[in-house]
Amino acid sequence: QLQLQESGPGLVKPSETLSLTCTVSGGSISSSSYYWGWIRQPPGKGLEWIGSIYYSGSTYYNPSLKSRVTISVDTSKNQFSLKLSSVTAADTAVYYCARHEWELPPDYWGQGTLVTVSS
Amino acid sequence: QSVLTQPPSASGTPGQRVTISCSGSSSNIGSNYVYWYQQLPGTAPKLLIYRNNQRPSGVPDRFSGSKSGTSASLAISGLRSEDEADYYCAAWDDSLSGPVFGTGTKVTVL
């Protein structure tokens, strides 16, 4: 059974960089069929796609966040990572990693991790 | 920013049928598959319906999905107390080159 697990600091200071890693188990991140993405959900609000990466390193970002987002992949560790720079309180959210096929929404999700931006 | 529009709430008594709508555009629902998720408090979204009307293994057949044009619907029949949750629709958006999500509907079992 495929499992995804987010990890990283739960508290980030304003103007700093948020960094999270998603570890994939029960399947290979190098599968040719799938993309690996990050989605966030501010407290009490809806879901927003941040961006996705293919195992080859090709990336796709939401234009609303593109200037601040970097997603990378480490196939040797079966992990992919998110960096979001210059964070503000508006970036406080539960961050989920997820798997999806091209032109399809996610099918598998991690449990999510709450990141709070505060001094 | 949610691109797909859902009613904020829906409710019913146990055993009733509840329907949730999801409205989009030609760049998302109109040209791509619709997915539905159930989110219980404090948990990650769980896939309920994929490719418009398919249920993953383990999802009861009380849940069904349909799509017509740029809109989609999720129906819950034989409503149960454990169905009380937030429900989100999603679809790929060709303009975004990524998935977009609905505004979410909170289902209350009276």
Side-chain angles (χ1 to χ4, degrees), chain A residues 36-76:
Chain A
W36 306 92
W38 290 96
I39 294 148
R40 70 180 183 177
Q41 184 174 35
K45 296 188 179 180
L47 299 158
E48 179 182 36
W49 173 68
I50 299 170
S52 298
I53 191 165
Y54 193 55
Y55 78 93
S56 63
S58 298
T59 52
Y60 309 86
Y61 298 137
N62 189 322
S64 68
L65 296 167
K66 186 174 183 177
S67 64
R68 300 193 291 130
V69 173
T70 302
I71 297 176
S72 59
V73 64
D74 186 337
T75 55
S76 67

Side-chain angles (χ1 to χ4, degrees), chain A residues 18-42:
Chain A
L18 177 161
S19 296
L20 296 174
T21 295
C22 182
T23 301
V24 179
S25 59
S28 173
I29 204 169
S30 300
S31 169
S32 60
S33 302
Y34 300 110
Y35 292 73
W36 306 92
W38 290 96
I39 294 148
R40 70 180 183 177
Q41 184 174 35

Side-chain angles (χ1 to χ4, degrees), chain B residues 7 14 18 24 26 35 57 67 69 76 91 95:
Chain B
V18 168
S26 58
Y35 282 37
S57 174
K67 171 186 146 176
I76 310 173
S95 301

Side-chain angles (χ1 to χ4, degrees), chain A residues 41 48 63 96 103 106 109-110, chain B residues 1 37 39 44 51 88 92 96:
Chain A
Q41 184 174 35
E48 179 182 36
Y96 296 100
E103 295 187 334
W109 298 65
Chain B
Q1 76 283 25
Y37 304 95
Q39 187 175 36
R51 295 184 185 246
Y88 291 90
W92 190 264
L96 186 65

Side-chain angles (χ1 to χ4, degrees), chain B residues 22-58:
Chain B
C22 174
S23 178
S25 68
S26 58
S27 67
N28 41 66
I29 293 179
S31 53
N32 294 293
Y33 287 113
V34 177
Y35 282 37
W36 289 92
Y37 304 95
Q38 177 192 61
Q39 187 175 36
L40 298 170
T43 69
K46 169 192 170 186
L47 183 62
L48 268 187
I49 298 289
Y50 66 100
R51 295 184 185 246
N52 299 339
N53 55 20
Q54 302 300 300
R55 284 185 307 276
S57 174

